[in-house]
Amino acid sequence: MAKEKIVLAYSGGLDTSVILKWLKETYDAEIIAFTADIGQKEELEGLEEKALATGASKVYIDDLRDEFANDFIYPMFQSGALYEGQYLLGTSIARPLIAKRMVDIAIAEGATAIAHGATGKGNDQVRFELNAAALSPSIKVIAPWRLEEFRNQFPGRAEMIAYAEANGIPVQASAAKPYSMDRNLLHISYESGVLENPWFDPSAPENKGMFLLSNAPEDAPDQAEYLELDFLKGDCIALNGEPLTPLQVMEKLNELGGKHGIGRVDMVENRFVGMKSRGVYETPGGTILFTAHRKMESITMDREVMNLRDSLITKYSTLVYNGFWFAPERLALQALVKESQKNVTGTVRVKLYKGNIIGAGVKSPVSLYNPDIATMEADPTQAYDQGDATGFIRLNALRLKVSAGVAESNQ
């Protein structure tokens, strides 16, 4: 009888290397390791050999950067998504892509389960599993950190290192960083360790070494830099006149934003599982794209369409954060977002300077801004009669006067 097959999200680090071996022994299963290259810049060389040496029967190392930028980052940025007013959802938006590829591999390989190394306290476990459920309702998910037998065997890092050494698992057991980090094409997130104290200041001079994508704003160039972004139907398609793919746009914006100290966020957020968590983020390219996209919308997007879309930002952001990317309600919202972007076309010019993105001009062939109507001088179009405002104000004031009159009579 053929062994059960399990697809494991594998990074090559201590946790997933131990989990690979543990799954193989505990379930007497064939383990297929999967690593997604989504722009994390981690060393992938030798990862396949390491996984095979640890016990994997097969290894997938897939470059998903183009798909990540095209099908996940860009559609999300069209929505204006911003979780709790600060977080650009860099980790959240990567998880559905990883889950999707894991499910694809499981189906292709005839696997009955997928497994991950996310802890039972975080958001990632929810994101992986909800997205997987939406794509393949019959797939089984194994989350070792939620299994008591696994936690009893590995109550701490020391036990995992000892297990790795005893089983010949090729893991370099270096001293733990005073925080954890997760990197992809959109951002780097930092949490845990010293960051669990919300009074700890990661921007202090002695902590500069933590940040990998961006200069501290005070260390950024003293000379401002101008940048032009061309948009077509809500998507950035060129920088400074040079046509680029979404992946190339993100890579170039990360470089420019990092140079000028743009995109650092330090916040305490609300996890889906119920607790508050402190996170520090570097999102240089995403912050530029988010700001420029909003400026492009300001000149091309109908007021009521914008109000409608904006009223859904909290809902959309929460769906992404909580792991509902493939849920029917997110797909329905995306259809509305796509419709709202059909005229978001033109060019935005911004100035990058010491952590700031300063608007420096916007133009569009489908601009809704008409200087002849907006002018404080005589309106050559005669489209707006200032006298009409008298009745407009009177009608809008009617309910206010009625309410105020009732309040006066009851005093």
Side-chain angles (χ1 to χ4, degrees):
M1 183 177 178
K3 287 188 175 182
E4 178 184 14
K5 292 182 180 180
I6 301 171
V7 178
L8 170 66
Y10 176 77
S11 69
L14 178 63
D15 283 29
T16 55
S17 294
V18 167
I19 286 172
L20 194 162
K21 186 73 172 180
W22 185 86
L23 287 171
K24 184 175 182 179
E25 292 180 343
T26 303
Y27 292 89
D28 189 26
E30 187 177 324
I31 310 301
I32 300 167
F34 161 63
T35 300
D37 178 2
I38 50 175
Q40 63 268 45
K41 301 290 186 182
E42 293 172 357
E43 185 58 60
L44 299 178
E45 185 178 347
L47 200 61
E48 180 176 6
E49 292 78 7
K50 184 187 294 187
L52 293 172
T54 306
S57 62
K58 194 171 185 178
V59 182
Y60 285 81
I61 301 175
D62 295 345
D63 184 350
L64 303 179
R65 293 174 300 160
D66 277 307
E67 184 178 0
F68 186 34
N70 285 327
D71 299 341
F72 293 83
I73 295 176
Y74 265 39
M76 182 181 72
F77 270 74
Q78 285 192 353
S79 77
L82 193 64
Y83 184 70
E84 297 187 341
Q86 297 184 76
Y87 175 40
L88 285 167
L89 298 161
T91 297
S92 313
I93 192 60
R95 297 326 187 209
L97 173 57
I98 296 171
K100 173 179 175 291
R101 185 59 184 139
M102 288 179 73
V103 168
D104 288 344
I105 293 171
I107 293 171
E109 293 287 346
T112 57
I114 61 174
H116 61 77
T119 73
K121 274 191 162 184
N123 293 308
D124 279 347
Q125 57 176 341
V126 185
R127 295 166 181 155
F128 282 131
E129 297 181 36
L130 290 181
N131 282 300
L135 294 168
S136 179
S138 63
I139 200 79
K140 183 172 69 173
V141 180
I142 301 172
W145 283 112
R146 296 208 306 268
L147 301 175
E148 188 175 359
E149 58 182 306
F150 184 84
R151 295 196 305 273
N152 287 340
Q153 188 172 349
F154 304 108
R157 184 175 173 83
E159 287 80 8
M160 298 190 85
I161 292 173
Y163 179 87
E165 291 176 347
N167 287 274
I169 297 174
V171 172
Q172 193 169 11
S174 58
K177 293 178 182 177
Y179 49 81
S180 65
M181 59 176 279
D182 182 83
R183 180 174 184 172
N184 62 45
L185 180 64
L186 183 53
H187 84 162
I188 298 182
S189 66
Y190 307 89
E191 62 180 14
S192 303
V194 294
L195 296 173
E196 290 178 353
N197 175 8
W199 193 248
F200 176 83
D201 179 11
S203 71
E206 63 270 20
N207 298 320
K208 284 183 180 179
M210 185 179 87
F211 294 97
L212 301 180
L213 288 181
S214 62
N215 288 319
E218 58 266 32
D219 296 333
D222 293 330
Q223 183 68 37
E225 183 171 356
Y226 283 87
L227 173 65
E228 291 187 4
L229 299 91
D230 293 334
F231 285 87
L232 177 64
K233 296 183 178 180
D235 288 335
C236 181
I237 59 169
L239 298 177
N240 291 333
E242 180 186 0
L244 298 173
T245 67
L247 171 58
Q248 291 169 331
V249 167
M250 295 309 303
E251 290 177 334
K252 185 62 177 178
L253 289 180
N254 277 333
E255 177 188 334
L256 291 170
K259 173 184 173 183
H260 291 280
I262 289 165
R264 294 187 179 186
V265 170
D266 182 352
M267 65 182 289
V268 174
E269 67 201 55
N270 290 292
R271 285 183 179 172
F272 191 20
V273 293
M275 69 188 75
K276 288 186 180 290
S277 171
R278 198 269 188 94
V280 177
Y281 303 103
E282 285 185 280
T283 320
T287 303
I288 297 173
L289 183 61
F290 180 88
T291 303
H293 176 255
R294 189 79 199 191
K295 291 183 182 299
M296 191 74 263
E297 289 180 330
S298 73
I299 199 172
T300 59
M301 204 168 177
D302 175 79
R303 182 187 72 179
E304 295 307 315
V305 173
M306 182 180 287
N307 287 343
L308 177 60
R309 194 283 310 274
D310 286 357
S311 72
L312 299 169
I313 285 177
T314 298
K315 178 64 175 178
Y316 187 106
S317 303
T318 302
L319 288 173
V320 177
Y321 186 86
N322 290 349
F324 290 96
W325 179 258
F326 293 111
E329 62 270 32
R330 202 283 305 176
L331 298 174
L333 286 181
Q334 196 69 53
L336 185 146
V337 166
K338 184 178 181 180
E339 174 66 18
S340 78
Q341 300 294 298
K342 65 182 182 181
N343 289 325
V344 182
T345 295
T347 302
V348 175
R349 184 172 57 209
V350 294
K351 182 166 63 175
L352 311 178
Y353 183 68
K354 290 191 177 296
N356 296 291
I357 307 167
I358 303 163
V362 58
K363 62 182 179 179
S364 170
V366 289
S367 172
L368 297 177
Y369 171 72
N370 188 327
D372 289 337
I373 296 175
T375 181
M376 292 300 177
E377 305 299 329
D379 177 5
T381 69
Q382 297 187 6
Y384 188 97
D385 184 344
Q386 296 188 47
D388 291 344
T390 301
F392 176 79
I393 295 169
R394 184 181 293 122
L395 289 175
N396 276 282
L398 179 60
R399 66 182 180 88
L400 304 178
K401 289 182 177 180
V402 171
S403 180
V406 172
E408 284 180 354
S409 65
N410 287 333
Q411 285 180 354

